[in-house]
């Protein structure tokens, strides 16, 4: 039976733009708490009966009928190095919508929704041994919370090639632009790799930042340096530790040296809410991940001629 975790979702939407995130906490078999952005969550269920095919990826526990659609179920415990949950009757299923696709993640148990201060989230120290599937950690009431990089998990199960149509690639190569440098801001290694590969196919140069704070520092450093080293456009994720994409956009618009920059927000979270927030913080465009042709076309439209 579904658990009504999102009944007060409108309360959580008011946190956006203030560098605060609503996280759904869950566990994978031990005391360690993990988190996922609540806006990626559709529903939480007890583990349903799963159908299995021999050709499925090792991390896919099976599939099931979710509201008339067959969706894959990833064993998140196995993906994170814990004992598999595919046959554990007490396991729970988090149904998520991510990058315009719906899938389930098996977890040991679901805890609660909490509000997390983005400024208190940081990249995990390598000594903790989380690996690439955790892109941030924070503390809540003294307990360590690890934020799962869902993009990295999904990419390991179903890697997507970065393909650009010939028409868009040709348009990128012939379009004149005074400045073909972009700042790419994203905390996910998978997402950064995809973006850099896409923009290189467009003959664009990328400067990389791993979160909004690093992105803003980079922009400040460039503003104080030679004009030839500055960027013409910022392409930023929204959900990031330290400083999210909304806060980064606001900071850019409030700085006289930076406010002329075009800002494109690129997120796995889609919908009317994001579009409204994009307008509120002063971004120029919002594109849902990952649509190479649509993203490339938007970048070409925003680059100064």
């Amino acid at each position: 039976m579904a658990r009504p975790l999102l009944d007060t979702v409108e309360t959580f939407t008011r946190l956006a733009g203030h560098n605060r995130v609503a996280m759904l906490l869950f566990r994978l078999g031990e005391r360690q708490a993990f988190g996922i952005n609540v806006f990626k969550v559709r529903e939480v269920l007890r583990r349903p009966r799963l159908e299995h095919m021999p050709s499925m990826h090792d991390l896919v526990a099976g599939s099931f009928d979710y509201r008339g659609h067959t969706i894959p179920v990833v064993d998140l415990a196995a993906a994170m190095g814990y004992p598999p949950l595919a046959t554990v009757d007490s396991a729970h299923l988090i149904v998520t919508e991510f990058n315009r696709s719906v899938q389930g993640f098996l977890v040991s148990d679901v805890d609660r929704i909490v509000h997390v201060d983005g400024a208190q989230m940081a990249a995990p120290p390598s000594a903790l041994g989380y690996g690439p599937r955790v892109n941030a950690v924070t503390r809540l009431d003294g307990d360590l919370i690890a934020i799962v990089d869902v993009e990295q998990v999904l990419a390991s199960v179903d890697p997507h090639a970065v393909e650009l149509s010939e028409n868009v690639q040709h348009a990128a190569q012939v379009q004149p632009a005074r400045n073909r440098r972009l700042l790419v801001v994203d905390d996910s290694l998978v997402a950064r790799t995809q973006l850099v590969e896409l923009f290189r196919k467009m003959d664009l140069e990328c400067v990389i930042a791993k979160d909004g704070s690093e992105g803003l520092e980079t922009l400040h450093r460039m503003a104080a340096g030679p004009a030839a080293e500055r960027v013409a456009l910022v392409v930023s994720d929204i959900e990031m530790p330290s400083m999210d994409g909304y806060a980064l956009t606001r900071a850019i618009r409030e700085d006289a040296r930076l406010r002329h920059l075009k800002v494109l927000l690129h997120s796995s979270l889609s919908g009317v809410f994001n579009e409204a927030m994009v307008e509120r913080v002063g971004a120029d465009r919002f594109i849902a991940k990952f649509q190479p042709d649509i993203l490339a076309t938007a970048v070409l439209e925003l680059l100064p001629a």
Side-chain angles (χ1 to χ4, degrees):
M1 182 176 180
R3 296 170 65 176
L5 288 171
L6 303 183
D7 289 348
T8 57
V9 72
E10 289 185 5
T11 301
F12 304 130
T13 65
R14 291 196 289 270
L15 299 174
H18 298 281
N19 208 31
R20 293 183 64 82
V21 185
M23 305 294 299
L24 173 63
L25 301 187
F26 58 90
R27 301 186 191 279
L28 297 174
E30 296 183 0
R31 187 173 181 274
Q32 170 70 67
F34 292 86
I36 184 174
N37 191 307
V38 76
F39 288 108
K40 297 180 173 119
V41 178
R42 279 193 172 189
E43 204 166 356
V44 176
L45 311 168
R46 294 302 292 264
R47 182 184 66 82
R49 184 177 65 85
L50 301 177
E51 299 174 350
H52 187 270
M53 295 293 290
S55 59
M56 285 182 174
H57 190 279
D58 291 344
L59 295 180
V60 176
S63 65
F64 83 110
D65 181 82
Y66 176 71
R67 303 187 182 280
H69 298 277
T70 299
I71 68 169
V73 174
V74 176
D75 191 332
L76 191 55
M80 301 300 293
Y82 289 87
L85 294 169
T87 60
V88 178
D89 291 337
S90 61
H92 288 75
L93 182 72
I94 302 177
V95 180
T96 67
E97 182 172 359
F98 205 91
N99 286 0
R100 299 172 297 116
S101 67
V102 178
Q103 54 278 310
F105 290 99
L106 280 180
V107 302
S108 178
D109 192 21
V110 175
D111 189 356
R112 66 195 190 277
I113 294 175
V114 298
H115 301 163
V116 177
D117 183 354
Q120 300 303 314
M121 297 168 63
S126 58
L128 293 180
Y130 283 121
R133 290 176 178 168
V134 168
N135 58 1
V137 292
T138 188
R139 285 197 174 272
L140 185 70
D141 300 328
D143 293 329
L144 185 67
I145 299 171
I147 312 304
V148 177
D149 186 348
V150 183
E151 288 179 88
Q152 207 282 340
V153 175
L154 291 177
S156 66
V157 173
D158 184 21
H160 290 286
V162 178
E163 298 179 352
L164 196 60
S165 70
E166 291 184 7
N167 289 342
V168 175
Q169 191 163 352
H170 176 72
Q173 292 170 348
V174 301
Q175 175 172 317
R178 293 195 307 269
N179 186 341
R180 300 180 71 86
R181 298 188 86 204
L182 311 180
L183 175 64
V184 173
V185 188
D186 204 303
D187 62 320
S188 170
L189 175 60
V190 169
R192 292 198 304 272
T193 302
Q194 286 178 329
L195 291 172
V196 170
E197 183 178 350
L198 172 66
F199 294 143
R200 282 178 178 167
K201 289 183 177 182
M202 299 170 64
D203 291 337
L204 301 176
E205 181 184 352
C206 296
V207 179
I208 303 297
K210 297 178 182 178
D211 58 47
S213 294
E214 184 178 330
L216 189 60
E217 290 173 4
T218 301
L219 292 173
H220 285 160
R221 186 172 63 252
M222 289 177 172
E229 296 181 3
R230 298 170 191 170
V231 296
L233 171 65
V234 177
V235 178
S236 176
D237 186 22
I238 292 178
E239 314 86 44
M240 296 181 291
S242 183
M243 175 184 283
D244 66 24
Y246 294 134
L248 172 61
T249 305
R250 272 212 175 103
I252 290 171
R253 294 295 176 246
E254 292 170 357
D255 191 317
R257 300 171 301 169
L258 304 177
R259 63 171 58 119
H260 67 282
L261 284 171
K262 299 290 186 180
V263 178
L264 185 154
L265 294 178
H266 185 234
S267 172
S268 59
L269 299 178
S270 58
V272 175
F273 164 71
N274 261 334
E275 294 170 2
M277 280 302 302
V278 164
E279 183 176 353
R280 187 183 304 175
V281 300
D284 297 280
R285 198 74 59 88
F286 167 76
I287 302 292
K289 291 181 179 178
F290 178 61
Q291 306 173 83
D293 271 10
I294 295 176
L295 175 60
T297 301
V299 166
L300 292 178
E301 291 173 353
L302 292 175
L303 279 175

